[in-house]
Amino acid sequence: MINYLAMIHDYRSSELGRDSWNQPKMVLGLDRVNVRASFASGVVSTAIGDDGSLWVWGKSKRGQLGLGKDVTEAIVPSRVKPLSGEKIAKVSFGWGHALARTEDGKLYGWGYSADGRIGKVGKTLETSLLESNADMSGSQLSSSSVQEIAEKRVLDGMEKEKDLPIVWEPHLVEETRGFEVIDISCGLDHSLVVCRNGSLLSCGSNFYGQLGRRNADLGLFPVELSSHPICIASGLGHSLAICSKGSPDVSEESRDIFSWGWSQSSQLGRTGPEDVPSVVQGLEEETPVSVSGGRVHSVVLTSKGEVWIWGCGRNGRLGLGSSNDESEPIPIESLEGIEVLQAVSGFDHNLVLVAE
């Protein structure tokens, strides 16, 4: 049986691999690919075949397609040939950059490389024009004002960037040579990488403290985390990690969620220092299975099949029947009695997969 990929989107056709976008339809150009996974950014879509092949389509002037120098658009799915000899297991996208993990634990990076957000891939690391290390922690502005300022800086930076540092094709990330990578996650302009030996590495912008380390060097360096990471997630400017309380082999009942980075809308789910990992409060009796980060909110799925959520509630994104922010995790009552299999967050929305 051939698995096929259907998509629905509210954007231009190149990200869909077809001409219409108002209802789900099969993506053209993948009829001979047995698709087993798919990933997407705001401008690029990907499919992974059961043979480990990686296929991309969409439009990105920052090299997220990985199809070669100055290739900024692919109308139909195109195979990423530099990865033809690898079996890709997972892909993650940020704003302009991408990471891919192979089945045997190699890490590849490509796209916009400022602030070392894809690690060292043979090019000199450069600081972003967005002034990543600027600090607003002493500001007396309201949460909404700080958010507006941060978003304006991103937009202003996008306009200023004329000579973008771009890696047009996937390259092995030098810092992970000799290590087995088991999970990856890209935020807006930072990245997280988990290795089999229990280390958690971060790179990219540290504008909000989302790297979780005081080491300001560009490139992949260890997060200041004493627990063993199991899985990770990234929001716009915050980071999340499910960690075992002991060794990685202990019972899954002994788990905590750590958070760090931007918390102007309470998306960290805790109090205390924002630039170092600390345990999310209010989940002591729960066992987290997966975690996901939106722009300014966070979502966790527990072993009971329950969904807990916290952070910015604007436009009802928390699913709690209001637009109020929540400073600590709270269960979504409308999902009570429903077995949730997967919960993921988008920029300002969420999706859950439930059992029939």
Side-chain angles (χ1 to χ4, degrees):
M1 177 182 294
I2 299 296
N3 296 329
Y4 66 88
L5 184 64
M7 302 187 71
I8 186 169
H9 206 287
D10 61 356
Y11 209 57
R12 64 198 69 178
S13 59
S14 59
E15 286 83 351
L16 305 180
R18 54 185 175 80
D19 294 330
S20 62
W21 57 86
N22 58 352
Q23 59 182 331
K25 289 185 179 180
M26 186 171 68
V27 174
L28 302 178
L30 291 171
D31 49 302
R32 296 187 178 182
V33 180
N34 189 16
V35 178
R36 63 176 175 84
S38 61
F39 303 90
S41 70
V43 294
V44 172
S45 301
T46 66
I48 297 177
D50 63 356
D51 60 352
S53 60
L54 179 63
W55 301 76
V56 300
W57 60 101
K59 188 173 185 178
S60 171
K61 68 178 183 180
R62 295 176 178 82
Q64 272 190 317
L65 291 172
L67 296 176
K69 183 172 177 57
D70 296 328
V71 178
T72 59
E73 185 172 14
I75 301 298
V76 296
S78 302
R79 186 166 184 176
V80 182
K81 293 182 180 179
L83 295 175
S84 295
E86 302 288 355
K87 291 186 176 182
I88 303 302
K90 182 178 180 180
V91 180
S92 185
F93 291 102
W95 173 64
H97 72 290
L99 293 177
R101 177 179 68 85
T102 67
E103 290 183 359
D104 59 358
K106 297 190 191 76
L107 181 64
Y108 285 85
W110 66 95
Y112 184 47
S113 62
D115 294 324
R117 66 193 65 183
I118 58 174
K120 296 178 181 178
V121 290
K123 295 186 66 174
T124 302
L125 300 182
E126 301 179 27
T127 301
S128 168
L129 295 178
L130 302 185
E131 300 180 10
S132 301
N133 295 319
D135 184 13
M136 291 189 297
S137 60
S139 173
Q140 300 300 313
L141 297 173
S142 66
S143 172
S144 60
S145 296
V146 171
Q147 182 172 327
E148 290 172 1
I149 291 173
E151 291 173 353
K152 185 177 185 301
R153 286 185 177 180
V154 171
L155 294 174
D156 289 345
M158 291 169 63
E159 292 298 322
K160 293 177 182 177
E161 291 173 325
K162 301 299 182 182
D163 186 19
L164 302 177
I166 292 175
V167 177
W168 290 99
E169 294 183 348
H171 288 265
L172 272 172
V173 178
E174 296 175 9
E175 295 100 323
T176 60
R177 291 179 185 269
F179 296 93
E180 182 182 357
V181 173
I182 61 174
D183 199 11
I184 55 176
S185 180
C186 294
L188 178 80
D189 49 14
H190 77 290
S191 304
L192 301 175
V193 175
V194 178
C195 297
R196 178 70 67 184
N197 64 3
S199 60
L200 173 58
L201 310 175
S202 65
C203 60
S205 169
N206 202 28
F207 187 88
Y208 305 108
Q210 64 264 47
L211 298 188
R213 54 178 169 86
R214 294 180 177 86
N215 182 347
D217 293 341
L218 299 183
L220 275 169
F221 291 94
V223 173
E224 296 175 11
L225 181 67
S226 57
S227 298
H228 297 270
I230 298 171
C231 66
I232 49 177
S234 303
L236 181 148
H238 73 292
S239 303
L240 301 157
I242 296 179
C243 299
S244 62
K245 295 181 180 180
S247 69
D249 299 323
V250 301
S251 169
E252 72 171 21
E253 281 75 22
S254 301
R255 292 181 175 181
D256 285 320
I257 296 180
F258 286 76
S259 64
W260 60 98
W262 194 22
S263 190
Q264 289 295 328
S265 296
S266 302
Q267 60 264 43
L268 296 187
R270 60 170 179 82
T271 58
E274 300 173 357
D275 59 349
V276 293
S278 294
V279 175
V280 173
Q281 301 158 359
L283 292 169
E284 292 78 8
E285 303 301 320
E286 305 297 329
T287 301
V289 174
S290 67
V291 66
S292 185
R295 177 170 60 147
V296 282
H297 74 286
S298 304
V299 182
V300 64
L301 176 66
T302 72
S303 60
K304 300 174 185 176
E306 297 175 344
V307 179
W308 293 61
I309 198 162
W310 63 95
C312 178
R314 184 180 300 177
N315 300 322
R317 74 192 67 183
L318 298 185
L320 301 174
S322 75
S323 292
N324 297 329
D325 294 356
E326 294 293 340
S327 60
E328 292 187 1
I330 185 170
I332 300 180
E333 294 183 355
S334 61
L335 294 174
E336 185 176 353
I338 299 175
E339 183 184 359
V340 178
L341 304 177
Q342 185 181 17
V344 296
S345 56
F347 210 52
D348 293 325
H349 69 289
N350 309 284
L351 294 172
V352 295
L353 175 67
V354 302
E356 294 184 347

